[in-house]
Amino acid sequence: MECFKLIKLEHYLKIDGRKIQVARAEKGWTITKLSDESGVTRKTIGAIEKGNKKKIRFSTIHQIALTLGKKVEYFCTQ
């Protein structure tokens, strides 16, 4: 998968925020709950979900993905 190659080369990734929103909703979580569980700020999660944050650090999306039980590649835009 192309995104997997990018993960190895890039420090920042382009993420589809709607997929985070969907994965969060599948768990019945609010942004606050995801923030509490992942350690990523509510502001950052909200900005990613709305598409206002274009370049997301690997460490940030990795933590969100782990918390939501998804692979990082699931959230990549390709």
Side-chain angles (χ1 to χ4, degrees), residues 16-65:
D16 184 348
R18 293 170 302 193
K19 288 184 178 180
I20 294 174
Q21 198 170 21
V22 168
R24 179 174 59 76
E26 286 173 353
K27 288 186 156 293
W29 287 3
T30 63
I31 289 176
T32 301
K33 173 72 173 173
L34 178 55
S35 174
D36 291 345
E37 295 291 325
S38 68
V40 177
T41 67
R42 287 175 49 233
K43 181 179 177 181
T44 297
I45 294 169
I48 293 169
E49 285 188 359
K50 290 176 185 169
N52 295 336
K53 190 167 181 68
K54 301 297 180 192
K55 292 172 64 175
I56 297 102
R57 285 189 203 129
F58 173 77
S59 60
T60 300
I61 192 58
H62 183 252
Q63 193 57 44
I64 291 171

